[in-house]
């Protein structure tokens, strides 16, 4: 074990400046036996560090390696397992419990004893030793001796001391000087002993020779001790003096601390007082402005606004904890509350007076607008009220009850004012539309039926579905007011509604301008009022996305379209947005009914006015939606657009119904049907109106419906016609339709235009063939027989040998049709065609030319058969193609 200890000291601990004090050969308890060494070491440098090191022998050689090290101060418990019986097991409690089994009990006890000594010397008994024999500990500290435990430890520590390099060198020199230092170690040791004795004797003699110097040294030490005693006495006196100074300094320090604390408290108190004074002190000028400030002048309003803002800042100041318990703060807060209440009452009373005065001032201006189609301008009133906008915001933030009251009063006063203005405005518009005077608006001079029409007009409530009564009375009214009306009997729309051509273009243009002016006056009025409400009452207008576009409107029926304008705005809108809409709805509650009444009147005057209204209303709805899709104006105009769209659909439906109910005269020729002419007039008018319109979808759908109805009705009338042949009715009317569609170039009706052209061409050909018939009847029968023989298989050049179709028979048939007879037959045919065709469409020459071409075609066919079946016979017709052309030309010129 000693050799292992020396090897470990040399290889492991000396390089780390450590000394090995104790070693024990151990293995872990309960596991496969793998031996290692636990070593107790101390460092050679101060401060001394004591460690327990686990060293393991390498598997690949006879050298050792350091595996784990624990500081002894981390050792909490040493458990020897049994204090009575010999037991090689023991536990060391570091960060966890390490269980070991020593190779022998002696080694275990020696190692524990070393740990005990190191604990006594360096750790001052911090480690607990349990199950350790007291005899073992007593051996470590012998009784009866007053020496320190460290003495025994020094012995243990000094048990082995390694030579340093110089000592090794001296020993080597000494051994080199002695030849038998290695061969005879005992003689070498005896020689060294004798030399040591000689050196000890020399040392003793040297010490005895220096006794005098030692005495002198001792005397000097005694004198030094006396000086030290004197210095200690002086230091004690100084310490007593410094003690009194220390007490005084402590008193001064405590006094300074109290002064500093008092100063700090005073600074904090001053800061709190300055905070309260700066933030809760309202200037006298502000108080005077709140109590007596002039609310009529701009300077007074500005002073009141600044004072109100200052008061709001004072009331909303964020007080520090505890401020609200101060009596002065409570008084000041109460004073601010009284000032706020007093000024809020004064402001609300003044603004209510301004609202009332506005109603009286605006009423005085109604007279000058009663004869003009303009609405009074509210800009001066808005401009004056906007001076109070900041005060309204202050009132909204401080006293919402009074703010709500002012809002309600404003809506009440302004709704009555706007109702008077808008009703008078629409009354003027109605008068200008009907062409009557204001005094004669009661229709007192009209017949009884016309008075009933006036009563019906006044009883309209915005729904075109409620319009009832006699339309013939309005027909009479319009006829009386227009001198150049076309006879009603010639119009398809005579039955129940007025003709689209019964009003002059000037009258329709006048209606269009009046309706556009009405919308142009209403739109800026609503937008200006909505903008004023937002600014004056401090209500934010947030842009939102409408759920309904114009294209979607076109795809909906009346009910769905109405719902789209009222529910297209998202539900999650701000309360302020809702409040603006509610205020606008209450203030302008009469706009929608009045617009619907005006639309109903325009529709009564002329059903084609719905086209003008649809275009104008669509444009204004589109414009309003671009500004704000959820605004009152956009919603209201959208709802009114529903009514206009219904009237337009009703106009189209009535025309289709009248086409279906048309009756024709049985005694006169048909000509161009009335509803065909009416469609031309409607299409020309619609194209001029919708030239630059945003929405043509409605018109295109109406075109499709109308043209299909026209096609069906033309065929129906042609089938029922008795005086005029069916082909003539179809040919003339479809030619007229084709000419109309070609001239107007309506893109959505391209397919119908092609269909009309085809129908015209087909019936023209059919009429020509039917009317021309077989002008050379016997000759035609003869050649039909010839073609039959050829079809049976007889060669063409052999047909002349047939008895019934020889050359003599052919000459006989040809002689029956001299040129004079042919011309007479063509003249009778021309008279018949002229009798069938109407003058308006001017198709006589077209038909006659087609008949001429058909006759020439038959002539050429006969000539070809003669040439093939009777070759070389020299047989020809008694008239030529040139004769046919001359006959037709002379007949056309003679008529």
């Amino acid at each position: 074990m000693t050799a292992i200890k020396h090897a470990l000291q040399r290889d492991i601990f000396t390089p780390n400046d450590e000394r090995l004090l104790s070693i024990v050969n151990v293995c872990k308890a309960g596991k496969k036996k793998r031996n290692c060494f636990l070593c107790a070491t101390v460092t050679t440098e101060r401060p001394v560090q004591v460690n327990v090191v686990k060293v393991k022998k390498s598997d690949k050689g006879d050298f050792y390696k350091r595996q784990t090290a624990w500081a002894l101060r981390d050792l909490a418990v040493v458990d020897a397992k049994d204090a009575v019986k010999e037991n090689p097991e023991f536990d060391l409690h570091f960060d966890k419990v390490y269980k070991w089994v020593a190779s022998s009990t002696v080694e275990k006890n020696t190692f524990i004893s070393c740990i005990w000594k190191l604990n006594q010397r360096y750790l001052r008994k911090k480690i607990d030793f349990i199950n350790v024999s007291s005899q073992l500990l007593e051996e470590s500290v012998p009784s009866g001796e007053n020496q320190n435990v460290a003495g025994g430890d020094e012995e243990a520590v000094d048990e082995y001391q390694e030579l340093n390099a110089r000592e090794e060198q001296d020993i080597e020199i000494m051994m080199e000087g002695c030849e038998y230092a290695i061969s005879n170690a005992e003689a070498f040791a005896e020689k060294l002993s004798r030399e040591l004795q000689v050196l000890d004797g020399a040392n003793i003699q040297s010490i005895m020779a220096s006794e005098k110097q030692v005495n002198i040294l001792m005397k000097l030490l005694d004198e030094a001790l006396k000086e030290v005693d004197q210095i200690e006495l002086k230091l004690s006196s100084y310490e007593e003096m410094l003690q009194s100074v220390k007490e005084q300094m402590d008193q001064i320090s405590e006094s300074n601390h109290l002064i500093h604390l008092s100063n700090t408290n005073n600074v904090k108190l001053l800061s709190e007082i300055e905070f309260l004074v700066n933030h809760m002190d309202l200037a006298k000028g502000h108080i005077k402005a709140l109590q007596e400030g002039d609310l009529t002048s701009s300077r007074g309003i500005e002073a009141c606004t600044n004072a109100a803002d200052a008061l709001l800042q004072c009331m909303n100041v964020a007080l520090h904890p505890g401020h609200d318990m101060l009596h002065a703060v409570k008084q000041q807060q109460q004073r601010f509350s009284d000032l706020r209440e007093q000024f809020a009452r004064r402001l609300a009373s003044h603004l209510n007076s301004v609202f009332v005065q506005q109603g009286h001032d605006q009423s005085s201006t109604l007279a000058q607008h009663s004869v003009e189609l303009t609405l009074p301008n509210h800009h001066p009133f808005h401009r004056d009220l906007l001076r109070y906008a900041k005060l309204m915001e202050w009132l909204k933030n401080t006293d919402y009850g009074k703010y709500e009251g002012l809002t309600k009063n404003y809506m009440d006063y302004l709704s009555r004012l706007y109702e008077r203005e808008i009703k008078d405005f629409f009354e003027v518009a109605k008068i200008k539309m009907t062409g009557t005077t204001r005094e004669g608006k009661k229709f007192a001079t009209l017949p009884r039926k016309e008075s009933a029409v006036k009563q019906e007009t006044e009883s309209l409530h915005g729904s075109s579905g409620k319009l009832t009564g006699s339309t013939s009375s309005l027909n009479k009214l319009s006829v009386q007011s227009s001198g150049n009306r076309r006879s009603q009997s010639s119009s398809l729309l005579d039955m129940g509604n007025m003709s689209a051509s019964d009003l002059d273009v000037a009258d329709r243009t006048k209606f269009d301008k009046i309706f556009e002016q009405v919308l142009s006056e209403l739109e800026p009025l609503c937008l200006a009022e909505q903008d004023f409400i937002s600014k004056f009452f401090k209500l934010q207008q947030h842009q939102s996305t409408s759920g309904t576009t114009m294209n979607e409107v076109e795809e909906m029926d009346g009910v769905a379209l109405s719902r789209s304008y009222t529910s297209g705005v998202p539900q999650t809108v701000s309360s302020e947005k809702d409040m603006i809409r509610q205020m606008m709805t209450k203030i302008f509650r009469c706009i929608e009914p009045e617009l619907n009444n005006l639309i109903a009147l325009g529709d009564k005057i002329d059903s084609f006015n719905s086209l003008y209204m649809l275009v104008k209303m669509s444009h204004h709805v589109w414009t309003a939606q671009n500004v704000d899709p959820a605004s009152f104006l956009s919603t209201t105009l959208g709802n009114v657009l529903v009514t206009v769209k219904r009237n337009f659909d009703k106009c189209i439906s009535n025309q289709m119904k009248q086409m279906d109910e048309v009756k024709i005269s049985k005694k006169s020729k048909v000509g161009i049907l009335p509803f065909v002419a009416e469609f031309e007039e409607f299409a020309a008018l619609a194209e001029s109106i919708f030239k630059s319109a945003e929405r043509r979808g409605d018109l295109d759908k109406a075109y499709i419906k109308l043209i299909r109805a026209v096609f069906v009705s033309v065929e129906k009338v042609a089938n029922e016609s008795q005086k005029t042949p069916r082909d003539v009715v179809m040919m003339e009317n479809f030619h007229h339709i084709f000419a109309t569609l070609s001239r107007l170039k309506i893109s959505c009706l391209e397919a119908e235009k092609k269909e009309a052209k085809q129908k015209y061409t087909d019936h023209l050909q059919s009429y020509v063939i039917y009317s021309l018939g077989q002008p050379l009847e016997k000759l035609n029968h003869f050649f039909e027989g010839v073609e039959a023989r050829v079809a049976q298989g007889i060669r063409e050049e052999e047909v002349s040998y047939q008895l019934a179709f020889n050359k003599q028979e052919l000459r006989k048939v040809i002689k029956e049709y001299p040129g004079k007879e042919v011309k007479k037959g063509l003249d009778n045919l021309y008279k018949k065609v002229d009798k069938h065709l109407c003058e308006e469409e001017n198709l006589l020459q077209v038909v006659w030319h087609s008949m001429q071409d058909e006759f020439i075609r038959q002539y050429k066919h006969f000539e070809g058969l003669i040439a093939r079946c009777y070759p070389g016979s020299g047989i020809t017709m008694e008239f030529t193609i040139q004769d046919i052309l001359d006959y037709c030309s002379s007949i056309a010129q003679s008529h």
Side-chain angles (χ1 to χ4, degrees), residues 478-479 481-487 498 501-504 507:
S478 62
V479 169
S481 62
S482 179
N484 54 352
R485 298 288 187 264
R486 191 175 64 182
S487 175
M498 298 187 61
S501 60
D502 280 343
L503 290 174
D504 294 331
D507 292 336

Side-chain angles (χ1 to χ4, degrees), residues 686-877:
E687 286 302 307
S688 64
I689 295 173
F690 281 79
K691 182 183 297 183
S692 58
E694 285 83 6
R695 51 182 293 173
R696 281 190 58 96
D698 294 324
L699 180 61
D700 291 344
K701 291 178 182 178
Y703 276 149
I704 299 296
K705 291 180 181 179
L706 283 176
I707 197 68
R708 299 318 307 178
V710 169
F711 281 11
V712 172
S713 298
V714 167
E715 292 193 13
K716 177 184 175 183
V717 172
N719 291 333
E720 296 175 354
S721 174
Q722 298 179 1
K723 184 71 173 178
T724 305
R726 179 179 182 276
D727 288 328
V728 173
V729 176
M730 297 287 285
M731 174 185 65
E732 289 183 327
N733 284 278
F734 278 107
H735 177 268
H736 191 86
I737 294 171
F738 170 71
T740 300
L741 296 180
S742 299
R743 175 170 53 85
L744 296 178
K745 298 179 181 179
I746 302 173
S747 58
C748 68
L749 297 180
E750 280 298 320
E752 284 73 13
K753 182 179 75 172
K754 293 178 181 179
E755 183 180 353
K757 182 179 180 181
Q758 187 62 42
K759 287 181 179 292
Y760 155 70
T761 304
D762 293 344
H763 288 284
L764 171 62
Q765 188 67 25
S766 175
Y767 177 68
V768 167
I769 294 174
Y770 170 78
S771 299
L772 187 61
Q774 298 176 353
L776 310 176
E777 186 176 359
K778 291 183 180 180
L779 190 61
N780 188 70
H781 285 313
F782 180 85
F783 281 109
E784 283 180 357
V786 171
E787 290 175 344
R789 293 295 186 276
V790 173
Q792 291 173 1
I794 300 176
R795 296 173 60 184
E796 290 183 343
E797 56 273 15
E798 295 178 356
V799 172
S800 59
Y801 298 107
Q802 297 290 322
L803 183 63
F805 301 101
N806 56 28
K807 297 177 183 178
Q808 289 77 12
E809 292 295 327
L810 176 60
R811 288 190 181 95
K812 187 188 299 183
V813 173
I814 289 175
K815 285 184 179 180
E816 294 183 10
Y817 293 99
K820 184 177 180 181
E821 288 296 324
V822 171
K823 181 178 181 181
K824 182 179 179 182
L826 289 175
D827 186 61
N828 293 331
L829 178 61
Y830 186 89
K831 293 178 181 178
K832 179 181 178 182
V833 172
D834 187 26
K835 185 177 180 182
H836 286 163
L837 298 179
C838 65
E839 297 178 0
E840 297 95 323
E841 204 58 23
N842 196 22
L843 288 177
L844 178 59
Q845 295 303 321
V846 175
V847 174
W848 184 244
H849 184 72
S850 297
M851 288 185 172
Q852 171 184 293
D853 293 341
E854 178 63 21
F855 189 45
I856 292 174
R857 186 193 65 79
Q858 291 185 15
Y859 178 87
K860 290 180 178 179
H861 177 65
F862 296 154
E863 287 284 337
L865 286 175
I866 292 173
R868 293 194 303 274
C869 297
Y870 303 93
S873 63
I875 301 174
T876 59
M877 303 287 284

Side-chain angles (χ1 to χ4, degrees), residues 335-572:
R335 185 182 183 191
F336 290 158
S337 298
D338 294 341
L339 279 173
R340 179 190 64 186
E341 184 65 25
Q342 181 182 355
F343 181 68
R345 285 198 304 269
R346 197 160 71 89
L347 176 62
S349 175
H350 176 74
L351 289 177
N352 279 326
S353 301
V354 173
F355 296 159
V356 175
Q357 184 64 32
Q358 162 67 7
H360 294 312
D361 293 344
Q362 288 292 116
S363 297
S364 63
T365 64
L366 289 178
Q368 64 183 3
H369 292 278
S370 60
V371 296
E372 300 176 1
L373 194 57
T374 57
L375 283 166
N377 187 5
H378 288 247
H379 177 69
F381 174 58
H382 292 166
R383 181 192 58 213
D384 294 341
L385 276 181
L386 282 177
R387 298 182 301 168
Y388 301 95
K390 292 185 177 180
L391 290 176
M392 283 297 296
E393 183 178 13
W394 175 86
L395 189 64
K396 179 181 179 182
N397 295 329
T398 56
D399 193 340
Y400 196 76
K402 288 186 174 58
Y403 171 83
E404 277 190 324
L406 276 176
T407 303
K408 184 176 182 301
N409 291 339
Y410 179 83
M411 289 190 294
D412 292 340
Y413 290 130
L414 266 293
S415 62
R416 291 196 291 268
L417 173 63
Y418 275 120
E419 187 170 1
R420 292 196 302 270
E421 294 177 354
I422 291 172
K423 285 188 175 181
D424 287 348
F425 173 72
F426 274 95
E427 191 64 31
V428 173
K430 293 174 185 177
I431 291 172
K432 288 183 177 291
M433 283 183 181
T434 56
T436 60
T437 61
R438 196 174 183 85
E439 292 75 11
K441 68 180 180 179
K442 294 188 181 297
F443 296 81
T445 61
L446 294 177
R448 183 175 180 181
K449 288 185 178 179
E450 294 158 7
S451 300
V453 173
K454 175 63 178 121
Q455 294 174 4
E456 293 166 6
T457 305
E458 292 178 347
S459 65
L460 293 173
H461 297 287
S463 174
S464 61
K466 296 181 180 179
L467 300 176
T468 57
S470 172
T471 56
S472 62
S473 58
L474 275 175
N475 289 343
K476 295 177 181 178
L477 173 62
S478 62
V479 169
Q480 292 175 3
S481 62
S482 179
N484 54 352
R485 298 288 187 264
R486 191 175 64 182
S487 175
Q488 291 184 350
S489 60
S490 63
S491 172
L492 175 63
L493 299 178
D494 289 342
M495 298 167 288
N497 276 331
M498 298 187 61
S499 168
S501 60
D502 280 343
L503 290 174
D504 294 331
V505 175
D507 292 336
R508 287 175 178 161
T509 304
K510 182 181 74 171
F511 173 83
D512 183 36
K513 290 181 178 179
I514 293 172
F515 192 74
E516 171 63 22
Q517 188 172 356
V518 168
L519 296 178
S520 300
E521 289 288 326
L522 289 176
E523 186 172 323
L525 180 73
C526 294
L527 292 177
E529 184 63 32
Q530 180 168 318
D531 185 60
F532 168 75
I533 288 174
S534 173
K535 292 179 180 178
F536 181 70
F537 292 99
K538 293 300 177 182
L539 301 173
Q540 296 299 323
Q541 299 188 67
H542 304 288
Q543 289 291 337
S544 60
T545 304
S546 174
T548 305
T549 62
M550 291 299 296
N551 291 333
E552 291 171 352
V553 170
E554 294 177 4
E555 299 299 328
M556 300 177 181
D557 57 14
V559 177
L561 186 141
S562 177
R563 189 182 304 114
S564 69
Y565 278 98
T566 57
S567 63
V569 182
Q571 298 298 321
T572 57

